[in-house]
mmCIF file of all heavy atoms in Angstrom:
data_model
loop_
_atom_site.group_PDB
_atom_site.id
_atom_site.type_symbol
_atom_site.label_atom_id
_atom_site.label_comp_id
_atom_site.label_asym_id
_atom_site.label_seq_id
_atom_site.Cartn_x
_atom_site.Cartn_y
_atom_site.Cartn_z
ATOM 1 N N PRO H 273 -5.441 6.451 22.757
ATOM 2 C CA PRO H 273 -4.099 6.982 22.997
ATOM 3 C C PRO H 273 -3.488 7.546 21.717
ATOM 4 O O PRO H 273 -3.562 6.932 20.655
ATOM 5 C CB PRO H 273 -3.315 5.750 23.480
ATOM 6 C CG PRO H 273 -4.349 4.853 24.071
ATOM 7 C CD PRO H 273 -5.581 5.050 23.229
ATOM 8 N N ASN H 296 8.572 19.467 -2.529
ATOM 9 C CA ASN H 296 9.790 20.261 -2.731
ATOM 10 C C ASN H 296 11.084 19.476 -2.614
ATOM 11 O O ASN H 296 12.096 19.863 -3.212
ATOM 12 C CB ASN H 296 9.814 21.412 -1.721
ATOM 13 C CG ASN H 296 8.613 22.322 -1.840
ATOM 14 O OD1 ASN H 296 8.089 22.539 -2.939
ATOM 15 N ND2 ASN H 296 8.138 22.837 -0.720
ATOM 16 N N ASP H 306 15.380 7.353 -10.956
ATOM 17 C CA ASP H 306 15.068 6.447 -12.058
ATOM 18 C C ASP H 306 16.205 6.397 -13.068
ATOM 19 O O ASP H 306 16.549 5.326 -13.577
ATOM 20 C CB ASP H 306 13.775 6.909 -12.737
ATOM 21 C CG ASP H 306 13.276 5.921 -13.783
ATOM 22 O OD1 ASP H 306 13.126 4.731 -13.432
ATOM 23 O OD2 ASP H 306 13.034 6.334 -14.925
ATOM 24 N N THR H 341 5.365 5.723 16.025
ATOM 25 C CA THR H 341 6.088 4.802 16.907
ATOM 26 C C THR H 341 5.993 5.291 18.345
ATOM 27 O O THR H 341 5.983 6.508 18.587
ATOM 28 C CB THR H 341 7.555 4.714 16.475
ATOM 29 O OG1 THR H 341 7.620 4.389 15.081
ATOM 30 C CG2 THR H 341 8.303 3.657 17.265
ATOM 31 N N GLY H 349 4.431 8.764 18.751
ATOM 32 C CA GLY H 349 3.244 8.111 19.303
ATOM 33 C C GLY H 349 1.930 8.584 18.730
ATOM 34 O O GLY H 349 0.894 8.496 19.386
ATOM 35 N N ALA H 379 10.155 -3.317 9.959
ATOM 36 C CA ALA H 379 11.047 -4.027 10.872
ATOM 37 C C ALA H 379 10.826 -3.565 12.310
ATOM 38 O O ALA H 379 10.845 -4.375 13.247
ATOM 39 C CB ALA H 379 12.498 -3.806 10.458
ATOM 40 N N GLY H 402 16.156 6.853 12.425
ATOM 41 C CA GLY H 402 16.628 6.722 11.051
ATOM 42 C C GLY H 402 18.120 6.575 10.903
ATOM 43 O O GLY H 402 18.624 6.431 9.782
ATOM 44 N N THR H 417 6.908 -17.693 -2.605
ATOM 45 C CA THR H 417 5.691 -17.805 -1.808
ATOM 46 C C THR H 417 5.753 -18.983 -0.828
ATOM 47 O O THR H 417 5.289 -18.884 0.306
ATOM 48 C CB THR H 417 4.475 -17.975 -2.735
ATOM 49 O OG1 THR H 417 4.385 -16.824 -3.577
ATOM 50 C CG2 THR H 417 3.191 -18.102 -1.938
ATOM 51 N N GLU H 447 21.346 -2.996 0.955
ATOM 52 C CA GLU H 447 22.633 -2.332 1.177
ATOM 53 C C GLU H 447 22.536 -0.934 0.577
ATOM 54 O O GLU H 447 21.983 -0.751 -0.517
ATOM 55 C CB GLU H 447 23.773 -3.114 0.530
ATOM 56 C CG GLU H 447 25.145 -2.470 0.636
ATOM 57 C CD GLU H 447 25.632 -2.300 2.062
ATOM 58 O OE1 GLU H 447 25.484 -3.244 2.863
ATOM 59 O OE2 GLU H 447 26.156 -1.221 2.384
ATOM 60 N N SER H 473 12.412 -19.841 11.876
ATOM 61 C CA SER H 473 12.602 -18.851 12.939
ATOM 62 C C SER H 473 13.026 -17.518 12.328
ATOM 63 O O SER H 473 13.501 -17.458 11.185
ATOM 64 C CB SER H 473 13.660 -19.332 13.942
ATOM 65 O OG SER H 473 13.258 -20.543 14.570
ATOM 66 N N LYS H 487 27.198 0.837 20.819
ATOM 67 C CA LYS H 487 28.242 1.359 19.939
ATOM 68 C C LYS H 487 28.532 0.371 18.818
ATOM 69 O O LYS H 487 28.494 -0.848 19.014
ATOM 70 C CB LYS H 487 29.511 1.640 20.738
ATOM 71 C CG LYS H 487 29.347 2.745 21.776
ATOM 72 C CD LYS H 487 30.645 2.987 22.532
ATOM 73 C CE LYS H 487 30.475 4.087 23.576
ATOM 74 N NZ LYS H 487 31.726 4.300 24.341
ATOM 75 N N THR H 510 17.745 -3.063 -4.620
ATOM 76 C CA THR H 510 17.163 -4.389 -4.424
ATOM 77 C C THR H 510 18.298 -5.393 -4.571
ATOM 78 O O THR H 510 18.834 -5.572 -5.668
ATOM 79 C CB THR H 510 16.057 -4.666 -5.444
ATOM 80 O OG1 THR H 510 15.095 -3.601 -5.387
ATOM 81 C CG2 THR H 510 15.370 -5.984 -5.166
ATOM 82 N N ASP H 516 27.225 -15.409 5.496
ATOM 83 C CA ASP H 516 28.299 -16.391 5.633
ATOM 84 C C ASP H 516 28.654 -16.564 7.104
ATOM 85 O O ASP H 516 29.632 -15.997 7.602
ATOM 86 C CB ASP H 516 29.518 -15.937 4.828
ATOM 87 C CG ASP H 516 29.182 -15.734 3.357
ATOM 88 O OD1 ASP H 516 28.668 -16.681 2.745
ATOM 89 O OD2 ASP H 516 29.417 -14.629 2.835
ATOM 90 N N GLU H 526 11.472 -19.655 19.101
ATOM 91 C CA GLU H 526 12.086 -20.600 18.184
ATOM 92 C C GLU H 526 10.988 -21.292 17.382
ATOM 93 O O GLU H 526 9.961 -21.706 17.925
ATOM 94 C CB GLU H 526 12.894 -21.623 18.982
ATOM 95 C CG GLU H 526 13.705 -22.576 18.138
ATOM 96 C CD GLU H 526 14.607 -23.468 18.975
ATOM 97 O OE1 GLU H 526 15.286 -22.937 19.887
ATOM 98 O OE2 GLU H 526 14.620 -24.696 18.727
ATOM 99 N N LEU H 546 -1.063 1.042 -0.505
ATOM 100 C CA LEU H 546 -0.934 2.497 -0.563
ATOM 101 C C LEU H 546 -0.006 2.910 -1.704
ATOM 102 O O LEU H 546 -0.251 3.914 -2.380
ATOM 103 C CB LEU H 546 -0.429 3.024 0.779
ATOM 104 C CG LEU H 546 -0.355 4.540 0.946
ATOM 105 C CD1 LEU H 546 -0.677 4.940 2.379
ATOM 106 C CD2 LEU H 546 1.031 5.071 0.580
ATOM 107 N N GLU H 553 -2.298 8.077 -8.317
ATOM 108 C CA GLU H 553 -2.540 9.506 -8.081
ATOM 109 C C GLU H 553 -1.498 10.369 -8.776
ATOM 110 O O GLU H 553 -1.828 11.381 -9.408
ATOM 111 C CB GLU H 553 -2.536 9.786 -6.577
ATOM 112 C CG GLU H 553 -2.632 11.258 -6.203
ATOM 113 C CD GLU H 553 -3.952 11.910 -6.589
ATOM 114 O OE1 GLU H 553 -4.963 11.185 -6.719
ATOM 115 O OE2 GLU H 553 -3.972 13.146 -6.767
ATOM 116 N N ILE H 618 -7.883 1.535 16.061
ATOM 117 C CA ILE H 618 -8.882 1.052 17.027
ATOM 118 C C ILE H 618 -8.522 -0.357 17.495
ATOM 119 O O ILE H 618 -8.587 -0.667 18.692
ATOM 120 C CB ILE H 618 -10.294 1.076 16.400
ATOM 121 C CG1 ILE H 618 -10.722 2.525 16.120
ATOM 122 C CG2 ILE H 618 -11.305 0.399 17.316
ATOM 123 C CD1 ILE H 618 -11.978 2.643 15.275
ATOM 124 N N ALA H 619 -8.114 -1.211 16.564
ATOM 125 C CA ALA H 619 -7.765 -2.590 16.905
ATOM 126 C C ALA H 619 -6.601 -2.658 17.884
ATOM 127 O O ALA H 619 -6.552 -3.525 18.756
ATOM 128 C CB ALA H 619 -7.438 -3.369 15.639
ATOM 129 N N ASP H 623 -9.797 0.030 24.335
ATOM 130 C CA ASP H 623 -9.957 -0.851 25.495
ATOM 131 C C ASP H 623 -11.364 -1.457 25.536
ATOM 132 O O ASP H 623 -11.749 -2.109 26.517
ATOM 133 C CB ASP H 623 -9.657 -0.105 26.796
ATOM 134 C CG ASP H 623 -10.509 1.152 26.970
ATOM 135 O OD1 ASP H 623 -11.440 1.358 26.156
ATOM 136 O OD2 ASP H 623 -10.238 1.926 27.910
ATOM 137 N N GLY H 662 -0.603 9.932 -25.399
ATOM 138 C CA GLY H 662 -0.339 9.391 -26.722
ATOM 139 C C GLY H 662 1.118 8.984 -26.847
ATOM 140 O O GLY H 662 1.716 8.448 -25.917
ATOM 141 N N PHE H 675 6.147 5.920 -13.962
ATOM 142 C CA PHE H 675 4.991 5.561 -13.131
ATOM 143 C C PHE H 675 4.525 4.137 -13.441
ATOM 144 O O PHE H 675 4.201 3.368 -12.542
ATOM 145 C CB PHE H 675 3.841 6.546 -13.356
ATOM 146 C CG PHE H 675 4.138 7.947 -12.917
ATOM 147 C CD1 PHE H 675 3.862 9.025 -13.746
ATOM 148 C CD2 PHE H 675 4.694 8.205 -11.668
ATOM 149 C CE1 PHE H 675 4.131 10.324 -13.344
ATOM 150 C CE2 PHE H 675 4.961 9.501 -11.253
ATOM 151 C CZ PHE H 675 4.678 10.562 -12.092
ATOM 152 N N ARG H 707 -17.400 -14.285 10.411
ATOM 153 C CA ARG H 707 -17.855 -13.116 11.178
ATOM 154 C C ARG H 707 -17.504 -11.794 10.492
ATOM 155 O O ARG H 707 -18.334 -10.873 10.422
ATOM 156 C CB ARG H 707 -17.224 -13.161 12.564
ATOM 157 C CG ARG H 707 -17.735 -12.111 13.531
ATOM 158 C CD ARG H 707 -17.085 -12.326 14.893
ATOM 159 N NE ARG H 707 -15.660 -12.070 14.876
ATOM 160 C CZ ARG H 707 -14.777 -12.611 15.727
ATOM 161 N NH1 ARG H 707 -15.199 -13.479 16.638
ATOM 162 N NH2 ARG H 707 -13.487 -12.316 15.662
ATOM 163 N N ALA H 728 -31.823 11.980 -3.816
ATOM 164 C CA ALA H 728 -30.499 12.397 -4.276
ATOM 165 C C ALA H 728 -29.479 11.265 -4.169
ATOM 166 O O ALA H 728 -28.510 11.210 -4.927
ATOM 167 C CB ALA H 728 -30.018 13.603 -3.471
ATOM 168 N N ARG H 791 -23.121 18.675 3.445
ATOM 169 C CA ARG H 791 -22.347 19.912 3.573
ATOM 170 C C ARG H 791 -22.931 21.009 2.701
ATOM 171 O O ARG H 791 -23.027 22.181 3.125
ATOM 172 C CB ARG H 791 -20.888 19.653 3.172
ATOM 173 C CG ARG H 791 -20.037 18.920 4.210
ATOM 174 C CD ARG H 791 -19.270 19.879 5.130
ATOM 175 N NE ARG H 791 -18.527 20.861 4.390
ATOM 176 C CZ ARG H 791 -17.283 20.691 3.948
ATOM 177 N NH1 ARG H 791 -16.633 19.555 4.181
ATOM 178 N NH2 ARG H 791 -16.664 21.654 3.295
ATOM 179 N N ALA H 801 -17.632 24.089 -5.193
ATOM 180 C CA ALA H 801 -17.059 23.436 -6.365
ATOM 181 C C ALA H 801 -16.429 22.097 -5.983
ATOM 182 O O ALA H 801 -16.591 21.096 -6.692
ATOM 183 C CB ALA H 801 -16.026 24.340 -7.033
ATOM 184 N N GLY H 831 -17.219 -21.437 -12.652
ATOM 185 C CA GLY H 831 -16.477 -22.537 -12.071
ATOM 186 C C GLY H 831 -15.093 -22.721 -12.675
ATOM 187 O O GLY H 831 -14.569 -21.839 -13.358
ATOM 188 N N MET H 838 -7.792 -28.306 -19.810
ATOM 189 C CA MET H 838 -6.796 -28.449 -20.866
ATOM 190 C C MET H 838 -5.539 -29.149 -20.342
ATOM 191 O O MET H 838 -5.003 -28.775 -19.300
ATOM 192 C CB MET H 838 -6.428 -27.072 -21.439
ATOM 193 C CG MET H 838 -5.527 -27.136 -22.665
ATOM 194 S SD MET H 838 -5.168 -25.506 -23.360
ATOM 195 C CE MET H 838 -6.782 -25.067 -24.006
#
Side-chain angles (χ1 to χ4, degrees):
N296 301 326
D306 187 53
T341 307
T417 299
E447 177 62 44
S473 299
K487 295 180 180 178
T510 306
D516 302 305
E526 186 174 314
L546 185 146
E553 174 66 24
I618 294 169
D623 56 8
F675 295 132
R707 187 177 67 205
R791 283 267 309 272
M838 187 178 291

